[in-house]
């Protein structure tokens, strides 16, 4: 209906249609000094970053770092307290979520939000009927079947939204978002709670979506998965950006390790490595008394750290 | 009317309104139930106190305790038998259920107690303190004190006792509370019973200070809702703040000639809709009971 | 559609089968509704005036429930003050007639006024959710009734007596009966259209999960306003017809045109039949109003108690409505073929589970 005016047919206007992120292209999404406060407490604090068309940007951070708030700010469920959010060259911070969906931003929810009274297929049809495309009924049904096939939910198309397992709910979240034909896909912990096999499937799916020219922003807790899927990783801690770099660089960054695993482990790592990082980590570790020893016993980056 | 008299009237009616809303606020805050039968429970409490006074010749203040006990039992049974069966259902289901209860109770009250206006005419009624030009009805002052006392007692009970903590825990996260070994069905029944008992106390105060009849029930449910919307669902003190605010609105609108009589409901709703639109969580409100 | 369904998976066709089942159900619902109304259309042939006025009331309540179904059943918004549109429609006709205007003008003005009122009212209150929306709508209806009474609109206390139409009594009543019936048919067709439209899908999505609906590109707020206006229109028309049929109006109190009892009936009837279904409100309206009218005659003193008990029983034991109950008892889950007895016993189990799942 109202989406008629904003329905471009090309999948990626400013960026290259293939999967290689173009470092020189104008960013598809840019945040400039964005802050979101809840009753005085900043959940996202003076955050700036840009996403290039066609790239997969991973966002990690410990619990309460502001990851889901960030997704809400970009998707439109939350309004920033201050700052500018630009999408495809246009300021979007004042647009309601449905307008952003028409422009090609799709999101999933950390806690799956299926339409519980509808079956899986109808859930996905809603995405195709509205979203960026705004299809008619028959085409929407066809798109829904294609998308369900893609996320391996075809055999559960008849089940109701509340009859699904956790993994299938996450798949349904992905399917619904995909059915809107997004240019920018925001994935909020779609891999949390999945088995290693399912995580591998999800990683493969995200790669395939990205190969089709969709820019993806992946918020995750699972390090290994996000490392495998992201072109770059941004780390949030207490709502602030503490690192933004290539995956290997970020995961070796003492600040990041400290934020995730506590100070004692950070110092251990730093001591092992010696070199320049040592002074930075110990300098910050002024109060080792309440270091997170539980986390320190898990030296590998695996599993959800929550 | 001197301003000081308006002030006194406001404090007295405001505290009474707080009592009207206290139980309603508890039930809503903990169980997310808007109890449309609240007003009819309140009226039942008024009848208990009324008959305790007229038939048993008991002191009206003992009537308050009797009304609380009787309504506690009624409330427990209602929650245990009926509302617990639909507690997870969509909002309209509990809404309709409590409306059905209201209809049933109001009509039964009308059948057994008739539609006559009643009031307790105790020896205290009509006894006033006069301070210069200001008239202070003693019975209303005592009722107002009891209202504040009940608010404080509920607040302490929730904060300091094991049972009160269990009620709060269930209100915050039902499933987590269940895992902690709290019996949800019983805690809900207790919460509703407490809400009903508080409604009974307010009803007894109503019988002492004003006239009442069964069809007044709907009006008090409405008042309770407006008061909670004004004060917010935060704490028992929210009901007191809301009661005082609502008392202010009615006292002022009653003394403004242009609005005139017969429009109390309209004023209540005008206030309500304004608050809802401007401050959807109430004037002082937090998201839930804590 | 079926040709596009992927064929590798043995169960892959189920999606298309679901669509076929749904469109079959849609057709059956529509036909059932038309058949019910056609059967009711025969009532005047009996020549019984009491039956005629009974069924006029029943059909009127069906229209009210059908109107409520748009906002309450499809969009899932707990509107508890839809009687306000009924009252506006009735008052518009009364005031037009009192001022010497024609009946049709009153109907038109009332419908327009109610639609506009729903729109303007929706702008603030449809931002509210849950209980707050329910009570805000309830309150506006109560307040408007009180205002009409206090400002003595149409007469002292807002009470109005109208001159009957210049027609034979029996003919006039028959015309009013068919007027309500035509309105009910129109609303039925409107509901059937809605159920298959994008508008309807959007409303159901809003009901099932508003945040997700918005994120998928549905302008939820405007669709809700649309549903609210849509529910106001038949309700106001029914109010206008009622005013000229009943001739004496009061704003508040039992039977008053702003009485909350109408709102309650709308909700109860829609719930009993099945909220968000095509014929549910029609069936619920017939059952409840027939029971109410006959019990009022038989047990006048205690019909309030009976109605209260009925509401309690329906909400506890039939929260999903009769239509969905029938579906659960007859349809196999997920396209698996079962014998009728198995379907029924499985259905009973599902219904028991459903009722139990509402409790703790």
């Amino acid at each position: 209906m109202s989406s008629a005016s904003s329905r471009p047919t090309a999948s990626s206007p400013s960026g290259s249609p293939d999967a290689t992120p173009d470092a020189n292209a104008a960013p598809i999404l840019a945040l400039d000094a964005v802050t979101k406060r809840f009753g005085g407490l900043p959940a996202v604090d003076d955050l700036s970053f840009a996403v290039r068309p066609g790239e997969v940007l991973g966002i990690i951070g410990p619990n309460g770092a502001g990851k889901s708030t960030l997704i809400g700010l970009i998707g439109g469920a939350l309004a920033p307290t201050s700052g500018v959010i630009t999408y495809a060259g246009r300021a979007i911070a004042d647009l309601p979520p449905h307008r952003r969906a028409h422009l090609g931003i799709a999101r999933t929810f950390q806690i799956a939000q299926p339409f519980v009274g509808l079956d899986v297929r109808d859930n996905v049809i809603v995405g195709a009927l509205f979203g960026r495309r705004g299809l008619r009924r028959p085409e929407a049904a066809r798109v829904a079947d294609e998308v369900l096939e893609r996320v391996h939910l075809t055999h559960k198309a008849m089940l109701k939204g509340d009859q699904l397992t956790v993994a299938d709910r996450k798949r349904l979240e992905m399917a619904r978002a995909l059915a809107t034909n997004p240019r920018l896909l925001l994935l909020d912990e779609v891999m949390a709670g999945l088995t290693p096999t399912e995580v591998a499937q999800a990683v493969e799916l995200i790669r395939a979506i990205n190969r089709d020219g969709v820019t993806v922003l992946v918020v995750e807790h699972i390090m290994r998965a996000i490392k495998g899927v992201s072109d770059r990783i941004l780390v949030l801690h207490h709502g602030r950006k503490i690192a933004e770099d290539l995956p290997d660089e970020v995961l070796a960054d003492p600040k990041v390790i400290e934020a995730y695993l506590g100070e004692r482990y950070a110092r251990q790592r730093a001591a092992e490595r010696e070199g320049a990082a040592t002074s930075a980590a110990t300098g910050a570790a002024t109060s080792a008394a309440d270091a997170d020893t539980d986390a320190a016993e898990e030296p590998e980056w695996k599993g959800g750290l929550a | 009317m001197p301003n000081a008299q308006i002030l006194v009237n406001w404090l007295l009616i405001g505290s009474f309104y707080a009592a009207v809303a206290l139980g309603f606020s508890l039930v809503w805050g903990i169980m997310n139930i808007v109890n449309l039968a609240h007003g009819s429970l309140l009226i039942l409490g008024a009848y208990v106190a009324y008959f305790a006074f007229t038939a048993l010749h008991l002191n009206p203040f003992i009537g308050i305790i009797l009304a609380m006990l009787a309504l506690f039992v009624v409330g427990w049974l209602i929650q245990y038998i009926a509302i617990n069966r639909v507690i997870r259902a969509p909002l309209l289901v509990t809404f309709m259920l409590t409306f059905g209860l209201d209809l049933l109770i109001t009509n039964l009250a009308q059948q057994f107690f008739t539609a006559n206006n009643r009031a307790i005419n105790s020896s205290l009624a009509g006894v006033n303190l006069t301070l210069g030009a200001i008239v202070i009805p003693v019975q209303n002052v005592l009722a107002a004190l009891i209202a504040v006392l009940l608010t404080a007692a509920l607040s302490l009970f929730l904060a300091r006792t094991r049972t009160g903590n269990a009620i709060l825990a269930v209100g915050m996260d039902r499933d987590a509370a269940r895992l902690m070994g709290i019996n949800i069905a019983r805690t809900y029944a207790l919460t509703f019973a407490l809400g009903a008992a508080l409604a009974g106390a307010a009803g007894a105060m109503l019988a002492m200070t004003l006239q009442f009849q069964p069809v007044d029930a709907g009006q008090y449910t409405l008042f309770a809702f407006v008061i909670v919307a004004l004060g917010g669902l935060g704490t028992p003190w929210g009901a007191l703040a809301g009661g005082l605010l609502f008392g202010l609105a009615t006292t002022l609108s009653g003394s403004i000639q242009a609005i005139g009589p017969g429009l109390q409901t309209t004023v209540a709703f005008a206030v309500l809709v304004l608050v809802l639109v401007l401050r959807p969580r109430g004037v002082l409100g937090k998201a839930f009971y804590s | 559609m079926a040709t596009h369904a992927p064929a590798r998976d043995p169960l892959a066709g189920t999606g298309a089968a679901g669509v076929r089942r749904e469109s079959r159900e849609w057709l059956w619902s529509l036909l059932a509704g038309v058949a019910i109304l056609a059967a009711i259309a025969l009532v005047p042939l009996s020549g019984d005036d009491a039956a005629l006025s009974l069924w006029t009331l029943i059909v009127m309540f069906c229209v009210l429930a059908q109107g409520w179904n748009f906002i309450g059943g499809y969009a899932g918004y707990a509107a508890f003050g839809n009687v306000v549109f009924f009252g506006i429609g009735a008052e518009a006709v009364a005031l037009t007639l009192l001022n010497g205007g024609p009946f049709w003008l009153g109907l038109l003005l009332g419908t327009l006024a109610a639609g506009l009122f729903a729109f303007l009212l929706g702008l603030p209150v449809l931002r509210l959710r849950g209980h707050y929306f329910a009570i805000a709508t309830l309150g506006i209806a109560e307040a408007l009734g009180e205002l009409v009474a206090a400002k003595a609109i149409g007469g002292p206390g807002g009470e109005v007596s109208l001159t009957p139409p210049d027609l034979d009594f029996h003919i006039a009543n028959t015309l009013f009966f068919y007027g309500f019936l035509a309105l009910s048919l129109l609303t039925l067709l409107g509901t059937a259209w809605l159920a298959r439209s994008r508008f309807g899908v959007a409303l159901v999505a809003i009901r099932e999960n508003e945040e997700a609906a918005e994120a998928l590109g549905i302008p939820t707020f405007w669709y809700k306003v649309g549903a609210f206006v849509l529910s106001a229109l038949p309700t106001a028309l029914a109010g206008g017809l009622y005013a000229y049929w009943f001739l004496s109006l009061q704003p508040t109190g039992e039977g008053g045109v702003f009485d909350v009892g109408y709102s309650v009936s709308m909700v109860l009837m829609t719930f009993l039949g099945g909220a968000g279904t095509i014929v549910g409100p029609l069936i619920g309206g017939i059952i409840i109003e027939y029971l109410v009218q006959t019990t009022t005659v038989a047990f006048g003193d205690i019909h309030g108690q009976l109605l209260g008990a009925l509401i309690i029983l329906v909400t506890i034991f039939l929260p999903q409505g009769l239509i969905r109950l029938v579906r659960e008892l007859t349809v196999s889950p997920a396209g698996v073929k079962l014998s009728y007895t198995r379907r029924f016993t499985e259905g009973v189990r599902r219904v028991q589970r459903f009722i139990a799942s509402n409790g703790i």
Side-chain angles (χ1 to χ4, degrees):
Chain A
M1 295 203 161
S2 56
S3 64
S5 57
S6 54
R7 216 180 289 154
T9 42
S11 57
S12 180
S14 52
S16 49
D18 57 41
T20 29
D22 182 350
N24 299 320
I28 186 169
L29 176 76
L31 274 73
D32 186 17
V34 170
T35 298
K36 175 66 184 178
R37 289 174 196 283
F38 292 109
L41 292 172
V44 166
D45 193 3
D46 193 26
L47 181 64
S48 302
F49 69 90
V51 186
R52 294 191 288 266
E55 83 170 328
V56 178
L57 177 68
I59 296 185
I60 58 172
N63 271 343
K67 304 188 297 289
S68 283
T69 305
L70 179 61
I71 295 276
L73 288 170
I74 302 170
L78 301 171
T81 311
S82 65
V84 180
I85 303 175
T86 315
Y87 168 77
R90 129 175 223 187
I92 57 164
D94 294 332
L95 296 182
H98 71 266
R99 295 277 299 124
R100 302 191 200 194
H102 296 166
L103 293 173
I105 301 178
R107 69 167 291 183
T108 66
F109 291 90
Q110 184 184 356
I111 298 163
Q113 306 276 356
F115 302 125
V116 286
L118 302 183
D119 66 30
V120 165
R121 189 165 180 269
D122 282 342
N123 262 277
V124 182
I125 285 178
V126 173
L129 274 176
F130 295 90
R132 184 153 76 102
R133 285 188 274 220
L135 298 175
R136 319 279 314 163
R137 268 278 186 157
E139 299 96 74
R142 186 175 50 77
V143 166
D145 288 333
E146 282 171 13
V147 171
L148 286 176
E149 177 83 352
R150 203 166 173 188
V151 302
H152 307 292
L153 266 183
T154 304
H155 58 295
K156 296 194 174 160
M158 288 291 288
L159 295 183
K160 295 270 195 248
D162 57 353
Q163 294 172 320
L164 298 178
T165 62
V166 171
D168 285 336
R169 281 176 189 234
K170 305 249 170 188
R171 290 194 176 107
L172 176 56
E173 283 285 317
M174 295 267 276
R176 243 179 11 185
L178 278 179
T180 66
N181 190 25
R183 290 167 58 197
L184 172 64
L185 182 59
L186 312 172
L187 300 176
D188 195 351
E189 304 210 3
V190 289
M191 291 179 265
L194 303 191
T195 66
T197 323
E198 289 163 346
V199 168
Q201 280 179 348
V203 165
E204 194 40 56
L205 176 62
I206 295 170
R207 285 214 187 97
I209 292 166
N210 180 242
R211 274 197 298 276
D212 291 346
V214 179
T215 309
V216 185
L217 212 137
V218 195
V219 164
E220 266 316 329
H221 231 85
I222 303 178
M223 293 288 186
R224 204 170 41 182
I226 205 162
K227 185 182 167 196
V229 79
S230 306
D231 295 316
R232 290 186 304 138
I233 289 180
L234 186 155
V235 186
L236 280 181
H237 189 44
H238 295 317
R240 290 178 160 272
K241 178 169 79 176
I242 57 169
E244 180 185 6
D245 210 330
L246 299 175
D248 288 329
E249 306 295 324
V250 163
L251 299 188
D253 188 329
K255 284 203 301 286
V256 176
I257 297 165
E258 185 191 316
Y260 251 82
L261 295 183
E263 290 155 356
R264 186 184 297 174
Y265 182 67
R267 269 185 312 172
Q268 280 177 8
R269 284 277 291 218
E272 285 164 19
R273 291 180 151 210
E274 296 174 347
T278 318
S279 55
T282 45
T286 45
S287 60
D290 51 354
D292 189 350
T293 46
D294 283 353
E297 285 163 16
E298 193 188 43
E300 292 294 322
W301 294 104
K302 68 180 177 189
L305 290 164
Chain B
M1 209 172 0
N3 285 340
Q5 181 72 58
I6 294 181
L7 185 74
V8 167
N9 290 356
W10 165 50
L11 286 175
L12 293 180
I13 195 76
S15 319
F16 170 64
Y17 284 153
V20 168
L22 198 53
F24 185 81
S25 162
L26 176 72
V27 168
W28 187 0
I30 299 297
M31 299 188 286
N32 199 25
I33 289 173
V34 166
N35 176 19
L36 295 183
H38 182 76
S40 49
L41 294 173
L42 187 146
I43 295 289
L44 277 189
Y47 276 108
V48 172
Y50 175 81
F51 288 118
F53 176 73
T54 54
L56 305 176
H57 308 291
L58 290 171
N59 182 306
F61 291 95
I62 296 178
I64 294 183
I65 296 170
L66 275 186
M68 288 184 77
L69 288 175
L71 269 291
F72 185 92
V73 175
V74 172
W76 182 290
L77 292 177
I78 287 178
Q79 180 73 29
Y80 214 84
I81 295 171
I83 303 180
N84 268 352
R85 291 174 182 272
V86 298
I87 201 83
R88 289 173 190 273
L91 176 152
L92 257 177
V93 173
T94 45
F95 219 73
M96 286 300 295
L97 177 62
T98 55
F99 186 87
L101 284 166
D102 177 68
L103 205 58
L104 186 63
I105 296 171
T106 307
N107 278 290
L108 285 175
Q110 209 148 20
Q111 185 181 344
F112 290 113
F113 308 141
T114 75
N116 295 338
N117 262 321
R118 316 265 187 163
I120 292 178
N121 293 307
S122 71
S123 54
L124 267 178
V127 177
N128 295 319
L129 287 174
T130 40
L131 286 173
I134 308 165
V135 181
I136 305 174
V138 171
Q139 193 158 265
N140 296 48
V141 173
L142 290 175
L145 284 178
I146 293 173
V148 177
L149 216 66
L150 284 176
T151 311
L154 178 63
S155 186
L156 278 177
F157 169 74
L158 291 176
R160 296 286 167 80
T161 67
R162 231 179 116 76
T163 321
N165 284 340
I167 289 177
L168 287 182
V170 170
M172 283 174 207
D173 189 331
R174 179 167 53 204
D175 296 318
R178 189 201 306 277
L179 293 176
M180 307 284 282
I182 297 174
N183 182 331
I184 308 294
R186 240 189 343 236
T187 308
Y188 274 178
L190 177 66
T191 308
F192 197 88
L194 279 176
L198 290 165
M205 292 177 206
L206 168 68
M208 284 163 58
T209 54
L210 293 165
Q211 291 192 322
F212 67 94
Q213 56 161 316
V215 291
D216 292 343
Q219 186 190 345
Y220 288 105
T221 305
L222 162 65
F223 284 179
F225 191 94
V226 177
I227 292 160
V228 171
L230 278 169
L233 269 180
T235 64
W237 299 105
L240 187 62
L244 289 173
L245 282 170
F246 184 61
L248 189 65
T250 51
T251 311
L252 288 182
S253 72
S255 58
I256 295 171
Q257 289 297 320
I259 297 175
L263 285 177
Q264 256 193 328
T265 315
T266 312
V267 171
F269 276 117
V271 172
L272 172 66
V273 172
L274 274 178
V275 170
L276 289 181
V277 171
L278 299 177
R279 287 292 309 264
R281 285 199 171 167
V283 175
L284 310 166
K286 300 177 207 162
F288 42 71
Y289 246 76
S290 60
Chain C
M1 252 174 273
T3 53
H4 292 294
R8 282 194 300 276
D9 193 309
L11 283 170
T14 49
V19 170
R20 273 201 303 277
R21 193 188 79 197
E22 247 163 55
S23 61
R24 214 167 45 218
E25 208 173 288
W26 178 83
L27 191 66
W28 278 115
S29 300
L30 181 57
L31 288 177
V34 172
I36 290 169
L37 290 177
I40 296 176
L42 302 176
V43 167
L45 297 182
S46 71
D48 179 350
D49 277 338
L52 186 63
S53 76
L54 168 68
W55 283 93
T56 306
L57 260 183
I58 290 176
V59 176
M60 181 184 91
F61 272 98
C62 287
V63 174
L64 298 185
Q66 287 173 302
W68 187 85
N69 194 28
F70 293 129
I71 182 73
Y74 279 93
Y77 262 65
F80 229 61
N82 265 27
V83 67
V84 77
F85 307 126
F86 185 79
I88 288 174
E91 293 291 336
V93 163
L95 292 179
T96 309
L97 290 174
L98 287 177
N99 289 299
F103 175 53
W104 64 265
L105 182 66
L107 273 186
L108 184 70
L109 288 177
T111 312
L112 290 177
L116 189 67
F117 189 73
F119 179 79
L120 294 176
L121 179 63
L123 295 183
V125 301
L126 283 166
R127 295 183 191 281
L128 303 172
R129 301 243 177 124
H131 299 304
Y132 291 101
F133 175 77
I135 298 287
T137 49
L138 168 69
I140 280 154
E142 293 274 294
L144 205 63
E146 204 181 77
L147 203 65
V148 169
K151 297 293 168 198
I153 292 171
E159 289 181 21
V160 177
S161 268
L162 296 172
T163 327
D166 192 14
L167 282 171
D168 171 69
F169 174 76
H170 183 73
I171 292 177
N173 276 357
T174 310
L175 284 177
F176 279 114
F177 170 80
Y178 282 114
F180 280 116
L181 200 69
L183 187 55
S184 182
L185 179 66
L186 215 65
T187 317
L188 177 76
L189 296 178
T191 312
W193 163 79
L194 184 81
R196 308 220 81 181
S197 69
R198 282 166 68 87
F199 189 9
V201 173
L203 294 185
V204 170
I206 289 169
R207 178 186 73 204
E208 296 297 333
N209 193 324
E210 187 162 346
E211 196 182 1
E214 177 76 26
L216 291 177
I218 297 174
T220 51
F221 182 67
W222 294 108
Y223 274 112
K224 288 187 293 184
V225 172
F228 205 35
V229 172
L230 194 59
S231 80
L233 302 181
T235 313
L237 280 167
L241 281 174
Y242 173 79
Y244 206 22
W245 174 65
F246 205 71
L247 296 171
S248 87
L249 304 181
Q250 61 189 60
T252 50
E254 201 177 336
V257 292
F258 290 96
D259 178 18
V260 61
Y262 283 106
S263 297
V264 173
S265 296
M266 297 176 201
V267 182
L268 181 64
M269 291 164 177
T270 312
F271 257 69
L272 176 64
T277 64
I278 295 170
V279 281
L282 201 57
I283 292 171
I286 293 169
I287 294 175
I288 299 264
E289 192 54 22
Y290 187 84
L291 280 179
V292 166
Q293 291 300 327
T294 47
T295 53
T296 309
V297 174
F299 321 94
D301 310 344
I302 55 160
H303 87 274
Q305 292 89 311
L306 288 176
L307 186 61
L310 181 68
I311 292 175
I312 294 167
L313 293 177
V314 167
T315 47
I316 292 179
F317 296 108
L318 269 176
Q320 85 278 44
L322 288 169
I323 296 287
R324 292 201 179 83
L325 184 70
V326 171
R327 187 189 297 159
E328 290 293 335
L329 294 181
T330 54
V331 175
S332 309
V336 187
K337 278 282 165 209
L338 293 174
S339 72
Y340 284 103
T341 28
R342 269 294 296 285
R343 275 187 217 181
F344 185 76
T345 49
E346 283 294 316
V348 169
R349 207 166 299 157
R350 275 204 302 283
V351 171
Q352 280 172 344
R353 257 207 310 271
F354 182 86
I355 292 171
S357 73
N358 280 333
I360 43 171

